[in-house]
Amino acid sequence: MPGNSPRRGRRTSNKKGAQVGSGGQRRRALRGKGPTPPAEMRKGHPKQRAAEARARQQAARRAAAGRRGKPASELVVGRNAVVEALRAGVPASALHVQQFVDSDDRVHEAIKLAVERGDVHLAEAPRAELDRITSGLNHQGLVLTVPPYEYAHPDDLTAAAAEAGDDALIVALDGVTDPRNLGAVVRSAAAFGGHGVVVPERRAAGMTAGAWKTSAGTAARTPVARATNLTRALQSYQRAGLMVVGLAADGEADLRELDLLDGPVAIVIGSEGKGLSRLVGETCDVRARIPMPGGAAESLNAGVAAGIALYEAAKRRA
């Protein structure tokens, strides 16, 4: 009969109350999970997925900001490129050589040049590792690591000229994005007694391995400064007593007749296509043109224009 059942916990009456294992208020009662967490903390909820996406975006922005604050090293990839960089004296921190690579004259020369320099670390690595660090580029078993260039401050150039007892001769580039043009300008500045080159921090060529090669080693002796704002840097030069001369095809003065070049001066050169930007052009004390009687070309690239202007300045200073 129901009332005589021997099984433990079996209900033997209609009287309600706590039973063993029922989740009531006894010592072994079940515990609740507490209040419902917000939607952002509930796994699988749309708001939780959105919060995770925002966190990933913020982490990516922080990482990008860190990379901008500390420039990354540059990689020169391929046998010809590596050998040419080492021949040109491009600063390098390490030469990675693939294990069991099929050696030829270029591999032997690259290793020899790195050993002779003494400051280039030689590292042997498997092909998979070189594929990883070059993101799958055709490295041909040779990868050269070039450390970030250490830019000067624009004021360092005028300070160096004052220390040498010279009138400052500085070249500023406005919107020049080809590293080879930058290297050519550095080479011309070194040849004609320039005290350095100024480039903007954004939307401009930097001192890459290509710029180093074009400078033919002169970048080791001629400083390149980076300006956060080129217009403000030129205004600072004006306050220091320099005249700012901008090269422009429609300039009001003839470069050959410009007496300003024999004193402290900053020569500003714009891009081949757009020339000087509006604010930089308005900041210049005078805009000068390079006469081109041939008429076959409307403009010159930055490297050629800088060479001509620096030659005129050097001739007057002599």
Side-chain angles (χ1 to χ4, degrees), residues 77-289:
V77 177
R79 298 186 181 186
N80 287 334
V82 168
V83 171
E84 290 174 3
L86 290 171
R87 286 175 182 171
V90 173
S93 56
L95 173 63
H96 303 273
V97 183
Q98 180 183 320
Q99 290 176 341
F100 314 115
V101 67
D102 293 332
S103 298
D104 60 9
D105 292 341
R106 295 168 297 176
V107 175
H108 293 307
E109 184 178 359
I111 295 174
K112 178 182 176 182
L113 290 171
V115 171
E116 289 176 349
R117 285 175 51 164
D119 59 349
V120 181
H121 174 67
L122 280 176
E124 191 177 32
R127 180 184 179 88
E129 176 63 14
L130 297 188
D131 290 342
R132 184 189 67 80
I133 64 176
T134 61
S135 300
L137 296 177
N138 184 21
H139 50 74
Q140 300 175 309
L142 286 182
V143 178
L144 188 69
T145 303
V146 178
Y149 180 79
E150 295 184 5
Y151 292 93
H153 188 276
D155 292 344
D156 295 339
L157 308 187
T158 52
E163 185 177 349
D166 299 333
D167 288 330
L169 178 57
I170 297 170
V171 180
L173 301 182
D174 179 24
V176 175
T177 56
D178 189 342
R180 293 170 297 181
N181 268 332
L182 173 57
V185 172
V186 171
R187 187 173 183 177
S188 295
F192 296 114
H195 296 99
V197 179
V198 180
V199 296
E201 188 174 302
R202 300 176 60 190
R203 294 186 292 273
M207 283 303 298
T208 63
W212 268 96
K213 286 191 290 184
T214 310
S215 75
T218 58
R221 303 184 299 275
T222 303
V224 177
R226 178 172 273 180
T228 304
N229 185 292
L230 183 59
T231 301
R232 287 201 293 265
L234 295 176
Q235 291 169 346
S236 176
Y237 283 156
Q238 289 170 325
R239 290 191 293 269
L242 279 69
M243 300 298 293
V244 177
V245 177
L247 296 187
D250 58 349
E252 60 271 15
D254 189 323
L255 184 68
R256 297 172 301 181
E257 302 170 357
L258 198 61
D259 295 333
L260 298 177
L261 296 177
D262 60 2
V265 65
I267 301 172
V268 190
I269 300 170
S271 63
E272 184 176 351
K274 298 181 180 179
L276 299 174
S277 63
R278 181 182 62 83
L279 289 177
V280 169
E282 293 174 354
T283 303
C284 294
D285 294 299
V286 62
R287 298 194 312 156
R289 63 184 181 277

Side-chain angles (χ1 to χ4, degrees), residues 16-56:
K16 295 183 179 180
Q19 302 292 326
V20 176
S22 68
Q25 300 302 317
R26 295 189 180 182
R27 183 167 54 88
R28 296 183 180 181
L30 298 178
R31 294 182 180 180
K33 296 182 179 180
T36 302
E40 291 79 2
M41 298 178 61
R42 279 183 266 168
K43 187 175 181 180
H45 195 281
K47 288 190 175 181
Q48 190 264 349
R49 292 195 294 268
E52 286 187 347
R54 285 195 299 271
R56 287 194 297 268

